[in-house]
Amino acid sequence: MSTKYDVVVLGSMHLDIKAFTATYPKHGDTATAKSITMIPGGKGANQAVAAAKLGGKVAMLGSVGNDGAGKQILDDLDSWNVDTRFVRRSEDLGTGTFIVEIDDSSENTMVGTMGADNSTTEQDIKTAMSQIDAPVLDLQLETCKESIMTALEEGRKKGMYIILDPAPADNYFREAMRYADCVTPNQQETERITGIKVNNRVDALNAAKAIVELGPKTAIVKMGDAGSVVYHEGQVYEIDAVKVNAVDSVCAGDVFAGALAVHYSQHKDFLAAVNFANRAAALKVSRVGNHFAFPTSDEMR
C-alpha cells in the first residue's frame, strides 16, 4: 500500500562547511573567516526541508554515507518532519561534503565532493516510488544520472507533476528536459541550457522559450534581485523580486523550489505558487543560516 505525500524530493544530502569572510581571498592567499559552521545541506535536503517547513508532507530520496555526517543529516531531516525511510545508507562511500564561502555582499562560492550522493541506484528509486503516492516530484541534477532518469521515468508513469531545478549547471544533460513539466534555472544554468546569456528580461524570455522547445511546458528563468520571467503554457509573466535586505543568498534557489513544489501540490494554481515561492526565497535571503532560517507556513500567511 502506498503512502501519500504532497512532494517527493530526489536530491543530494551533504554536509556544508560554511565560512563567512569579508572578501574572497586571492589565489594563493590565506584569509581568516569571521565564522565557520558545519551544517546539513545539499540541494535535495534543502528543498525537502523548505517544502516541509511550509506545510508539506515530504518524502526524501537519495543517499548518505553510513557515517557521522550522514547521521547528522538524517537527524536534521527527521527534526523537520521530512520522511527519510527511503534514504539509502551507503557502506562504500562517505556522505558528500561541500565548502561554502560567503562574502559581505552575500554572494557564495562552493567546492566539494558528492560522495554517497552519486550512489543511488535505479532499483533504489523504483522500490521507493512503488511505495509512494504524491502529486509532485521535485529534483535537481546533484545526484547520479541513473537515479535522476529513473525518477523522471517513474514520476512520468505515475502522472506526477515534475519540477526540475537544473542545478548545478555543470551537471546538465538534455535528456532530462523531455520529462520535466517545469524547469527553474538561474542565469548561469539558463546559459548552460540554451547558450543565451541573460542580462535582462528580454534575454530571459528568449531563453525561457528555448527551454520550452526542449520539452517542458513551463520555464521560470530566475534573475535574483531582477525578478523572474515565467513562460507558462504560451503566456509570459514577469515576476518582480521582493525587496529585502539581503544578507545570505545560500539556499535561496532551494527554498524557491521547495516552496513552488509544496504550494502547487496543495493548490494546483501555478502562478500563485510562483509568487509564493518568490516571497519564500526573499524571506530566506534576509536571514543568515540554513534550515532553521527557512520560512515556515505561519510566516508566509
Side-chain angles (χ1 to χ4, degrees):
M1 184 175 178
S2 297
T3 304
K4 291 186 178 295
Y5 299 92
D6 294 310
V7 180
V8 177
V9 178
L10 166 66
S12 56
M13 292 164 278
H14 52 239
L15 192 67
D16 283 340
I17 303 171
K18 298 174 71 173
F20 288 85
T21 64
T23 58
Y24 293 125
K26 295 178 181 178
H27 185 71
D29 284 357
T30 298
T32 300
K34 292 187 287 186
S35 66
I36 294 178
T37 57
M38 299 176 66
I39 51 181
K43 286 188 170 298
N46 293 342
Q47 293 179 19
V49 170
K53 289 190 70 174
L54 291 167
K57 184 175 181 181
V58 182
M60 184 77 218
L61 309 185
S63 300
V64 295
N66 190 17
D67 50 25
K71 183 180 186 303
Q72 182 179 349
I73 288 166
L74 294 177
D75 287 346
D76 177 76
L77 290 170
D78 290 339
S79 75
W80 301 116
N81 297 315
V82 174
D83 193 335
T84 60
R85 74 179 76 178
F86 304 111
V87 175
R88 181 176 186 268
R89 281 73 163 174
S90 174
E91 297 291 342
D92 303 318
L93 294 170
T95 300
T97 303
F98 269 71
I99 299 168
V100 185
E101 187 173 343
I102 306 161
D103 67 11
D104 282 346
S105 72
S106 85
E107 287 301 317
N108 65 87
T109 299
M110 305 183 190
V111 63
T113 178
M114 301 310 299
D117 285 321
N118 280 331
S119 68
T120 306
T121 67
E122 176 182 353
Q123 192 55 53
D124 291 332
I125 299 299
K126 286 186 173 180
T127 299
M129 293 290 273
S130 70
Q131 302 173 55
I132 285 170
D133 181 13
V136 174
L137 170 65
D138 172 44
L139 71 168
Q140 322 82 39
L141 302 176
E142 213 167 35
T143 57
C144 63
K145 184 176 179 179
E146 177 185 352
S147 66
I148 294 166
M149 286 306 303
T150 304
L152 289 168
E153 290 164 359
E154 294 298 308
R156 179 59 63 235
K157 288 178 187 176
K158 294 172 76 72
M160 301 172 76
Y161 187 84
I162 299 174
I163 298 173
L164 175 64
D165 178 12
D170 287 349
N171 289 3
Y172 169 72
F173 59 95
R174 185 168 178 171
E175 192 176 0
M177 306 295 276
R178 295 194 294 110
Y179 294 85
D181 292 294
C182 175
V183 180
T184 63
N186 64 18
Q187 288 160 287
Q188 293 78 18
E189 294 145 10
T190 298
E191 185 174 2
R192 174 68 178 84
I193 295 168
T194 66
I196 298 172
K197 188 172 183 63
V198 177
N199 295 311
N200 51 53
R201 291 188 174 186
V202 173
D203 295 336
L205 175 57
N206 289 334
K209 289 179 177 179
I211 289 170
V212 168
E213 289 177 359
L214 298 175
K217 300 180 183 71
T218 301
I220 304 172
V221 177
K222 300 174 295 185
M223 299 182 290
D225 59 9
S228 303
V229 170
V230 180
Y231 190 59
H232 176 60
E233 297 180 351
Q235 299 296 313
V236 180
Y237 305 91
E238 295 186 356
I239 310 295
D240 291 332
V242 178
K243 301 301 181 184
V244 295
N245 178 30
V247 294
D248 184 1
S249 65
V250 176
C251 301
D254 294 332
V255 169
F256 182 95
L260 179 72
V262 71
H263 193 282
Y264 185 77
S265 74
Q266 295 176 345
H267 303 284
K268 301 300 188 295
D269 184 331
F270 184 78
L271 290 179
V274 173
N275 280 287
F276 180 82
N278 199 39
R279 291 195 295 118
L283 189 53
K284 165 60 197 77
V285 167
S286 71
R287 301 169 172 174
V288 174
N290 200 333
H291 297 165
F292 64 88
F294 288 9
T296 65
S297 51
D298 286 343
E299 291 173 316
M300 293 294 292
R301 290 194 175 99

